[in-house]
C-alpha cells in the first residue's frame, strides 16, 4: 500500500499473486461516487437511493465461492442487530446467479444481494480488479448522507474481512446518525 496525494492506492493479492485495483479509493468523509447496481428484478439501484440511512456494503469477488458465501452469510446475520442499517452484499455475479445463490442460502436473507455486472460500482469506488473482472473483497460503510465513513480492503483476497473492525466502525457511524 502506498499513499499518493493523500489517497491510498491498494494492491491486493490472491494466493500470493499481486493484483492491482482500478485506481484510488475515495477518502473517508467524501461523498460516495455515483454508481449503479442491479437488484433481483434487474432494476437499477443508484447511489442516491442509498441516502437516508446508514448503509453497510459487503463486497465479495464471487458469491459462488466458499469464502464469498461465508462472508455474505456472516454479514447478513448482523441485520437483525441493526434494524436501521441497510445491509447490501455486492458481487459481479449476474442477477440470475445471485437469485440462485440467495434461494439456496436462506441464512443470508438479512441482506440485499446486488449485482455489479456492469462494473459501475467497482470502477466508481476503484475496488475493481480489472485483470480479473472481479471486485476486491472489502467492506464500505456509508452514512445517511452517502458519505464514505469506513473502507476496509482485504489484503489477501482468499481471506475474510476483519469483521470486528467493521462492526466497531458500524457502531460508531450508527451512534453519530
Amino acid at each position: 500500500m502506498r499513499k499518493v496525494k493523500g489517497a491510498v492506492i491498494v494492491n491486493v493479492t490472491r494466493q500470493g499473486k499481486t493484483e492491482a485495483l482500478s485506481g484510488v479509493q475515495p477518502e473517508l468523509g467524501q461523498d460516495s461516487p455515483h454508481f449503479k447496481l442491479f437488484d433481483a428484478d434487474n432494476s437499477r439501484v443508484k447511489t442516491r437511493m442509498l441516502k437516508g440511512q446508514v448503509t453497510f456494503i459487503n463486497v465479495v469477488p464471487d458469491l459462488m465461492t466458499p469464502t464469498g458465501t461465508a462472508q455474505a452469510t456472516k454479514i447478513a446475520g448482523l441485520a437483525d442487530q441493526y434494524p436501521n442499517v441497510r445491509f447490501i452484499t455486492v458481487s459481479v455475479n449476474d442477477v440470475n446467479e445471485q437469485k440462485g445463490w440467495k434461494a439456496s442460502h436462506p441464512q443470508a436473507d438479512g441482506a440485499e444481494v446486488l449485482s455489479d455486472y456492469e462494473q459501475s460500482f467497482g470502477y466508481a469506488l476503484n475496488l475493481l480488479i480489472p485483470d480479473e473482472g472481479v471486485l476486491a473483497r472489502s467492506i464500505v460503510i456509508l452514512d445517511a448522507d452517502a458519505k464514505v465513513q469506513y473502507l476496509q480492503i482485504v489484503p489477501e483476497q482468499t481471506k475474510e474481512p476483519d469483521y470486528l473492525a467493521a462492526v466497531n466502525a458500524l457502531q460508531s457511524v450508527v451512534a453519530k446518525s
Side-chain angles (χ1 to χ4, degrees), residues 63 69 72-80 98-113:
L63 273 173
T69 293
T73 55
K74 285 177 185 173
I75 297 302
L78 292 173
D80 289 342
Q98 289 183 343
K99 277 187 203 178
W101 180 89
K102 187 102 172 175
S104 64
H105 295 86
Q107 69 273 34
D109 282 345
E112 295 173 73
V113 178

Side-chain angles (χ1 to χ4, degrees), residues 74-91:
K74 285 177 185 173
I75 297 302
L78 292 173
D80 289 342
Q81 298 171 45
Y82 299 93
N84 296 325
V85 174
R86 183 175 184 176
F87 286 87
I88 298 171
T89 292
V90 175
S91 75

Side-chain angles (χ1 to χ4, degrees), residues 45-58:
V45 176
K46 296 182 179 182
T47 311
R48 65 179 161 74
M49 299 167 133
L50 302 179
K51 288 188 174 188
Q53 72 183 114
V54 173
T55 303
F56 188 108
I57 304 173
N58 176 45

Side-chain angles (χ1 to χ4, degrees), residues 18 22-23 45 59-60 63 70-71 89 92 106 129-130 134 137 139 148 175:
T18 300
S22 54
V45 176
V59 184
V60 299
L63 273 173
Q71 182 179 340
T89 292
V92 295
I129 302 170
V134 297
R137 189 174 310 283
I139 294 174
V148 178

Side-chain angles (χ1 to χ4, degrees), residues 5-164:
K5 293 184 183 179
V8 177
I9 296 177
V10 177
N11 290 326
V12 295
T13 59
R14 182 176 314 280
Q15 298 178 335
K17 178 186 170 222
T18 300
E19 298 178 319
L21 299 183
S22 54
V24 177
Q25 291 72 45
E27 293 184 30
L28 298 185
Q30 177 182 334
D31 287 339
S32 174
H34 295 282
F35 58 80
K36 66 181 175 213
L37 297 163
F38 295 89
D39 66 15
D41 297 324
N42 209 29
S43 297
R44 289 185 177 119
V45 176
K46 296 182 179 182
T47 311
R48 65 179 161 74
M49 299 167 133
L50 302 179
K51 288 188 174 188
Q53 72 183 114
V54 173
T55 303
F56 188 108
I57 304 173
N58 176 45
V59 184
V60 299
D62 185 348
L63 273 173
M64 307 306 161
T65 64
T67 308
T69 293
Q71 182 179 340
T73 55
K74 285 177 185 173
I75 297 302
L78 292 173
D80 289 342
Q81 298 171 45
Y82 299 93
N84 296 325
V85 174
R86 183 175 184 176
F87 286 87
I88 298 171
T89 292
V90 175
S91 75
V92 295
N93 299 94
D94 70 38
V95 171
N96 288 327
E97 286 178 314
Q98 289 183 343
K99 277 187 203 178
W101 180 89
K102 187 102 172 175
S104 64
H105 295 86
Q107 69 273 34
D109 282 345
E112 295 173 73
V113 178
L114 301 177
S115 178
D116 189 31
Y117 67 82
E118 288 188 352
Q119 301 177 339
S120 169
F121 173 85
Y123 274 115
L125 277 84
N126 290 308
L127 294 173
L128 185 73
I129 302 170
D131 292 344
E132 300 296 325
V134 297
L135 300 168
R137 189 174 310 283
S138 50
I139 294 174
V140 181
I141 300 175
L142 306 178
D143 66 15
D145 295 322
K147 292 183 184 299
V148 178
Q149 297 299 318
Y150 179 79
L151 174 60
Q152 177 188 148
I153 300 171
V154 180
E156 170 52 52
Q157 293 294 286
T158 60
K159 305 290 184 196
E160 293 180 56
D162 181 341
Y163 297 112
L164 182 58

